[in-house]
Amino acid sequence: MQTYSNLVNGKPVEATSHQEILNPATGDSLGLAAISSEQDVNDAVIAARNAQKDWSRVSDQERQETVARVAQVLQDNSEYLAELITREQGKPLSGPGSRFEVQACVGWTQVPAALALAPETVHEDEERKDVLHRVPLGVVAAIAPWNWPLMIAIWQIIPAIRMGNTVVLKPSEYTPIATLEMVRLINQVLPPGVLNTISGDGRIGAALTSHPDIDKIMFTGSEATGRRIIEASSRNLAPITLELGGNDPAIVVPGTDATAIAEGLFWGAFLNMGQTCACIKRLYVHENDYDSVIAALSDLARQMPIGDGMNENNLIGPLQNKMQYNKVKELVGDARSNGCDVMEFGDVPDTGYFLPVTLVGNIQDGQRLVDEEQFGPALPIVRYKNLDDAVASANSLSAALGASVWANSPEEAEPVAMRLEAGTVWINQHGAIHPMVPFGGNKASGYGVEFGLEGLKAVTQPRVISIKK
Ligand code: NDP
């Protein structure tokens, strides 16, 4: 059976224990992934610390060129990595699936490679000049989740490396293999120690985030773990970028043409089988449009082929893990037992963590499927009578990552969008992130932003050079 190792200082680390990783669509074994010890965590942090001194002295242009070479390696290995993602994480090769994920990795590497943070003169008069420089923080701990295992790891590691930091990355214990392989490949063009990995469960993550020699934590995952990481950071005072879950609302403005928006709504909700932080997780539709929106979404849901994502015809794959599968089943079961209309679509294979595409009508705020983050292919559709009620519902939860407003024209949607509390409010699209556009949560969805120049600033610290004239 193939074994996948961590990489520290450019070399594979021999592990004393391993876990077997299974394909969520078929149950087939993919191989053994290393489990790190606390000693391994310490070794990885020391390697990153040692490498950071030289890496921070490399010229900005050289770092840009190195990151551009990383993008090329990702491109050259795109099909290999996409197949690994599909086998391990479950999202299909086709549609907005694993090939799409790898191309996003390429794009989110190319853009930071081309960006630079120039020194900024923040004040100047006859007596003085003050220039703000952005210098690296040091060693970045990156904790990645299992839903977009490569793309989110890239969001964390590339800006950090680009700005002269070094990284210790921990992939999720559910999806370590594709990430360890990606790191092995891109290490071919990075100096040893710039990008290191450890792997294992939350205890190993905690050993990393509480390590005294960490200077920054990048985390994407659940709110509960986010809170633990904040506590752990009291040991090292590391600033944190926290991208926690969302429970994104979408509001359809009264009178909107349902067929025109159905496809955007569908993929906004069911991208990666709903296992995406910024997916539509509750849909608010005016009572007069409710039937037509449900009919348009049902038409699409009926056409979606479900099955093993290695078959290029399939567009909907399994959930990634049993925990998530059980959670979604439980929330749909709760809605069913409370008398909601549970509409299920698609022929679900007998093996694997497959669930049908599910629309749930006749449901209200206060029910679990609306109020809790389902992170799966079950969309609650709530009727509203007037827009003010829909806005109040959308803003009523503590999660505030994304939101969207759907209308026949952007002008009609914009006043509603301005009233929604979320890090990003999309109009006639949802989850439409871009490597130049800052992305992050409000309220309980976290703090700090990723992407673009703001994302680069988040992995630096300001240093002012103040000159007396
Ligand atoms: P977690 O927040 O537990 O996992 C995210 C990452 O954090 C994983 O790498 C995990 O490791 C690691 N981790 C766990 N505990 C600690 C700790 N104490 N210190 C440092 N790192 C730690 O999410 P789950 O996988 O348990 O998923 C639960 C729910 O979270 C989902 O149902 C979904 O609602 C939400 N979620 C949101 C995501 C998003 O994109 N915003 C992504 C994933 C989940 P390991 O997996 O190895 O335990």
Side-chain angles (χ1 to χ4, degrees):
M1 193 180 291
Q2 192 164 351
T3 302
Y4 297 88
S5 306
N6 284 294
L7 213 69
V8 171
N9 218 9
K11 296 196 184 71
V13 177
E14 207 157 304
T16 48
S17 57
H18 294 86
Q19 60 162 337
E20 189 176 12
I21 302 296
L22 305 179
N23 181 327
T26 62
D28 294 343
S29 176
L30 295 182
L32 295 174
I35 297 179
S36 302
S37 64
E38 294 208 7
Q39 181 60 46
D40 294 332
V41 175
N42 197 43
D43 292 348
V45 174
I46 290 171
R49 170 67 60 205
N50 291 339
Q52 204 266 331
K53 292 185 195 82
D54 285 343
W55 183 239
S56 65
R57 288 193 205 109
V58 162
S59 77
D60 209 47
Q61 187 186 343
E62 201 178 317
R63 281 206 299 266
Q64 285 186 305
E65 288 165 6
T66 304
V67 174
R69 281 198 288 279
V70 170
Q72 192 57 50
V73 171
L74 291 168
Q75 185 62 57
D76 293 346
N77 293 280
S78 53
E79 194 59 18
Y80 172 66
L81 291 172
E83 289 188 9
L84 267 184
I85 294 172
T86 295
R87 290 202 170 93
E88 185 181 47
Q89 196 276 338
K91 64 172 70 72
L93 284 170
S94 307
S98 59
R99 288 184 180 133
F100 167 85
E101 177 167 357
V102 178
Q103 285 315 308
C105 292
V106 174
W108 261 270
T109 304
Q110 286 169 332
V111 168
L115 291 178
L117 289 178
E120 189 188 341
T121 300
V122 289
H123 176 75
E124 186 165 17
D125 59 24
E126 301 77 42
E127 287 161 14
R128 60 186 287 162
K129 180 176 175 181
D130 301 87
V131 183
L132 190 150
H133 298 255
R134 292 268 166 193
V135 300
L137 283 152
V139 176
V140 174
I143 307 277
W146 45 262
N147 53 341
W148 294 88
L150 299 202
M151 183 177 76
I152 292 177
I154 285 288
W155 292 353
Q156 297 172 333
I157 63 187
I158 293 299
I161 290 172
R162 165 68 193 88
M163 295 317 296
N165 305 281
T166 53
V167 176
V168 179
L169 166 70
K170 189 193 94 61
S172 166
E173 65 184 311
Y174 294 117
T175 53
I177 288 180
T179 314
L180 294 181
E181 278 299 89
M182 176 178 79
V183 169
R184 181 182 68 75
L185 291 164
I186 64 183
N187 249 274
Q188 294 164 1
V189 295
L190 290 172
V194 168
L195 174 57
N196 311 276
T197 56
I198 54 162
S199 55
D201 61 16
R203 277 167 305 175
I204 288 301
L208 177 62
T209 50
S210 61
H211 193 287
D213 218 11
I214 289 294
D215 303 299
K216 166 86 191 181
I217 302 168
M218 306 280 291
F219 173 72
T220 299
S222 66
E223 184 184 330
T225 305
R227 288 181 191 280
R228 275 182 220 119
I229 286 176
I230 294 169
E231 282 170 23
S233 74
S234 70
R235 303 263 309 268
N236 46 36
L237 291 179
I240 313 175
T241 299
L242 272 184
E243 205 264 79
L244 306 179
N247 196 342
D248 291 9
I251 297 178
V252 179
V253 168
T256 303
D257 176 1
T259 52
I261 60 169
E263 194 170 346
L265 286 178
F266 183 87
W267 286 115
F270 294 102
L271 177 70
N272 193 23
M273 290 70 74
Q275 302 166 117
T276 301
C277 41
C279 257
I280 299 173
K281 295 182 179 138
R282 40 198 181 116
L283 177 60
Y284 292 92
V285 181
H286 189 265
E287 56 188 0
N288 294 344
D289 305 319
Y290 179 81
D291 290 340
S292 56
V293 168
I294 289 196
L297 286 174
S298 303
D299 277 352
L300 280 172
R302 252 178 236 115
Q303 296 164 31
M304 289 297 156
I306 301 182
D308 183 353
M310 291 303 289
N311 174 342
E312 306 214 6
N313 295 324
N314 288 330
L315 293 175
I316 302 284
L319 296 205
Q320 202 285 319
N321 55 64
K322 194 168 189 182
M323 173 272 293
Q324 200 58 44
Y325 173 84
N326 287 338
K327 179 176 168 182
V328 178
K329 273 185 82 152
E330 185 183 321
L331 292 177
V332 172
D334 180 76
R336 189 180 275 117
S337 63
N338 281 303
C340 302
D341 294 337
V342 176
M343 298 160 263
E344 297 179 327
F345 302 88
D347 293 327
V348 173
D350 297 333
T351 54
Y353 300 130
F354 288 95
L355 286 175
V357 171
T358 305
L359 303 174
V360 179
N362 193 25
I363 190 165
Q364 279 93 39
D365 291 357
Q367 292 191 250
R368 289 187 63 198
L369 185 61
V370 180
D371 287 9
E372 295 179 28
E373 184 186 30
Q374 68 277 52
F375 221 61
L379 178 67
I381 303 168
V382 182
R383 276 194 198 92
Y384 71 84
K385 279 189 196 307
N386 67 64
L387 260 177
D388 287 345
D389 293 343
V391 170
S393 290
N395 291 339
S396 66
L397 300 181
S398 60
L401 185 61
S404 58
V405 184
W406 302 74
N408 290 328
S409 73
E411 292 72 30
E412 217 183 329
E414 211 174 325
V416 184
M418 294 298 290
R419 297 171 62 195
L420 295 183
E421 296 165 2
T424 306
V425 183
W426 288 281
I427 290 178
N428 288 339
Q429 53 184 358
H430 198 106
I433 51 172
H434 186 281
M436 278 305 291
V437 181
F439 175 66
N442 288 181
K443 301 201 296 191
S445 288
Y447 45 73
V449 290
E450 299 177 276
F451 314 164
L453 292 172
E454 293 302 316
L456 291 186
K457 286 179 190 167
V459 282
T460 63
Q461 52 196 329
R463 181 159 301 158
V464 172
I465 303 295
S466 185
I467 307 156
K468 182 172 165 46
K469 285 187 173 171

